[in-house]
Amino acid sequence: MRLLPADLPERAALAMEIHARPPEPLLAPGRASYIAVLVDADERERELAHLGRLCRQHAQLGPGADAVHWSGTLGTLRLKWERHGEFSSYTLLMPSAGPVPFAETAAGELPSGWLAGVPGLTVYAGHAELLSPAEGQELGDLLRQSFGDRTVVGSALGDGAGLVYSDFLIHADGFGRLLMIDQGFTPLVAGRMLQRLFEIEAYRMMALLAFPLARRLSPRLLAIERSLASLADSIAAGPTGPTGPAGQAEQGRHARLASSATPVTPVNQPGRARESAKDEQLLQELTRLAAEIESGLAASQFRFAACRAYAELVRTRIDELRERRLTGLQTIDEFMSRRFTPAVATCATVSRRMHDLSERVAQASHLLSTRVDIVREQQNLALLASMDRRAKLQLRLQQTVEGLSIAAIVYYMAGVVGYVAKGGRSLGLKLDVDLFVGLSVPLLALLAFNAVRRARRHASEQDLKEGH
């Protein structure tokens, strides 16, 4: 009988995720090599095939097609492969360290040419030697043999369970070096500390991929900031035409004259057009700056976001080392704070400047768009006022024409009445033609006036119906 509801489809995978990448144990004396390779998505299959060939050479079952980590024994080597978001890592471990530090390495035990054939670009590569105090070498001799005359950084790890030294430089073979001395590590703790140290370097390099991008963007951002400041000054200065102080008085005069029946020529229309064209040009320049900034944001924000994420991982791994200071040496935490943290801060500053510029350009564009809209509304108002004046003039002209039309209609109708009167007189009627025509004129005028008014009323009613 089932005791629980049906499982979430991803339950088992999520539960095992916390156990997915356990550290490999390392017993002193021992040595290790670590390689982090930046791998494109289209090279993932080649990477698996390359690793699979190595596994088959040692009769090992390689990783599956969907695997993101694998570990196995290849002769004297213990190989651990992990696929991260952007890069893959190879950790090689083997027992016993040579008599001379870093004279022999774990990576040197791989088949010739296999490591060089790994797909991708090397981000970080490092060798590590884990020694025990029983080997009896003087610390000064060990450091000189390992790092020469370079400045060494070192600290006690795990609250004093071991010591670590490094110069954080790339040596002639292309690898960095970590020298660890066991003072009470268990094999699992030693492996965990070594993994953290390697990951600090890998994540540090991945975070710093954004630094060259930040340096390339900085001069362009400075130029955009200057252009934006110049455009903002132009916007703040305001137009010298109708939207300036003197122009506002003209606009008030325009509004008063708009209601007047007297024909008025629009005031300062050429100046208004020039200011509108200037604002349009400023708006186009702001749009160009906005497009340039958004293009830069789209091209850089993934890298800057990754920088923040990797930098946080570096900080977490350093905290997990639980360092103690060694006399006369910088700790890893201090070393990173003095050299790595400023580079991350530079990337964060450039990213923040880009976002701030985007917001400032958007605000300036909004202000200028508002002003352009106001100028257009003012131009539309002036146009409507001019159209209103023309309509009133047309109405007056129409009324004048109607008066003349009535006179013409009366004249022609009086002529018709005169012809009728003359015809009646020819028939023998005793009519005074002139008197008869003269008396008919007022009646004809009244009839013509009523006819014109009725036609005007009918046209108005038709306009109202069409308007609805």
Side-chain angles (χ1 to χ4, degrees):
M1 178 179 176
R2 186 177 181 86
L3 298 177
L4 296 172
D7 281 347
L8 181 74
E10 300 86 0
R11 181 188 176 194
L14 294 176
M16 290 304 297
E17 182 63 26
I18 197 171
H19 306 288
R21 295 178 172 89
E24 294 290 332
L26 182 62
L27 183 65
R31 48 187 163 166
S33 296
Y34 179 93
I35 303 95
V37 181
L38 192 65
V39 183
D40 290 336
D42 55 357
E43 294 182 317
R44 297 295 194 183
E45 292 184 4
R46 285 183 54 218
E47 177 187 39
L48 285 175
H50 190 68
L51 180 58
R53 285 192 292 270
L54 178 65
C55 294
R56 287 192 295 273
Q57 290 176 12
H58 294 82
Q60 288 282 339
L61 184 63
D66 297 328
V68 293
H69 60 91
W70 178 88
S71 62
T73 302
L74 308 176
T76 59
L77 281 176
R78 180 75 177 170
L79 171 61
K80 178 185 177 183
W81 167 78
E82 295 178 286
R83 177 176 289 172
H84 302 265
E86 294 183 85
F87 68 98
S88 296
S89 65
Y90 299 81
T91 306
L92 304 165
L93 304 168
M94 64 181 303
S96 74
V100 179
F102 304 103
E104 299 176 2
T105 64
E109 300 297 319
L110 288 169
S112 178
W114 184 89
L115 192 57
V118 171
L121 301 173
T122 301
V123 175
Y124 169 73
H127 297 308
E129 295 265 356
L130 177 61
L131 306 178
S132 63
E135 295 180 53
Q137 285 185 287
E138 289 291 335
L139 179 61
D141 294 337
L142 282 173
L143 295 181
R144 278 191 298 274
Q145 290 175 0
S146 302
F147 307 109
D149 296 329
R150 298 178 178 88
T151 301
V152 176
V153 175
S155 62
L157 303 180
D159 297 326
L163 306 177
V164 64
Y165 301 91
S166 179
D167 56 3
F168 292 101
L169 294 173
I170 299 175
H171 290 253
D173 60 354
F175 286 78
R177 293 182 178 181
L178 291 170
L179 179 64
M180 297 178 65
I181 299 177
D182 183 6
Q183 291 187 328
F185 284 138
T186 65
L188 189 58
V189 171
R192 185 181 298 119
M193 287 295 178
L194 181 61
Q195 178 174 307
R196 288 168 181 164
L197 290 166
F198 280 145
E199 287 179 348
I200 286 171
E201 282 292 82
Y203 292 145
R204 176 176 71 91
M205 292 297 295
M206 291 300 297
L208 290 179
L209 289 179
F211 188 58
L213 177 62
R215 288 198 294 189
R216 289 196 301 269
L217 286 173
S218 291
R220 185 55 196 150
L221 291 181
L222 181 59
I224 291 176
E225 287 171 340
R226 289 174 177 171
S227 298
L228 181 58
S230 176
L231 290 173
D233 289 341
S234 299
I235 295 171
T240 56
T243 54
Q248 292 175 358
E250 287 185 1
Q251 292 162 12
R253 182 165 169 254
H254 246 300
R256 291 191 298 272
L257 292 174
S259 60
S260 171
T262 306
V264 179
T265 303
V267 180
N268 202 16
Q269 287 298 326
R272 187 189 300 272
R274 284 194 299 270
E275 294 302 335
S276 179
K278 177 182 176 183
D279 287 347
E280 293 283 356
Q281 184 178 2
L282 290 175
L283 190 57
Q284 289 179 1
E285 182 64 18
L286 282 172
T287 302
R288 185 190 65 79
L289 288 181
E292 186 172 355
I293 293 170
E294 291 304 320
S295 175
L297 282 170
S300 65
Q301 286 313 292
F302 170 77
R303 194 73 266 155
F304 287 142
C307 176
R308 292 191 295 270
Y310 286 124
E312 183 60 29
L313 288 173
V314 170
R315 175 56 51 196
T316 301
R317 296 298 186 270
I318 291 175
D319 291 342
E320 291 172 350
L321 294 177
R322 304 194 309 279
E323 287 186 285
R324 287 183 182 176
R325 179 182 297 279
L326 297 178
T327 303
L329 295 179
Q330 279 186 315
T331 64
I332 295 175
D333 189 7
E334 289 176 333
F335 180 82
M336 293 296 175
S337 296
R338 290 175 61 87
R339 292 165 173 82
F340 171 66
T341 303
V344 173
T346 298
C347 297
T349 299
V350 171
S351 177
R352 189 163 50 250
R353 282 174 66 191
M354 294 185 73
H355 283 288
D356 291 344
L357 274 175
S358 179
E359 293 178 1
R360 287 166 55 192
V361 169
Q363 291 174 354
S365 298
H366 178 71
L367 290 174
L368 188 56
S369 296
T370 302
R371 196 170 82 183
V372 169
D373 290 341
I374 291 174
V375 171
R376 287 174 179 168
E377 291 296 330
Q378 292 168 348
Q379 291 174 343
N380 292 338
L381 178 62
L383 180 61
L384 291 173
S386 176
M387 292 174 63
D388 184 56
R389 288 192 298 274
R390 291 192 184 97
K392 290 181 177 179
L393 287 173
Q394 186 177 1
L395 178 61
R396 288 191 173 188
L397 181 60
Q398 182 180 352
Q399 291 172 345
T400 303
V401 170
E402 287 176 355
L404 295 175
S405 300
I406 292 172
I409 291 170
V410 170
Y411 174 78
Y412 286 112
M413 290 181 68
V416 172
V417 170
Y419 285 120
V420 171
K422 288 178 181 179
R425 190 174 60 180
S426 299
L427 293 174
L429 297 177
K430 294 181 179 181
L431 294 174
D432 187 341
V433 175
D434 293 336
L435 179 60
F436 187 78
V437 172
L439 292 175
S440 67
V441 166
L443 179 59
L444 294 173
L446 180 61
L447 291 174
F449 177 76
N450 287 333
V452 171
R453 187 173 64 176
R454 190 179 299 109
R456 187 191 304 164
R457 185 184 302 115
H458 179 70
S460 299
E461 290 175 353
Q462 288 295 113
D463 289 340
L464 289 175
K465 289 180 181 179
E466 292 176 359
H468 288 299

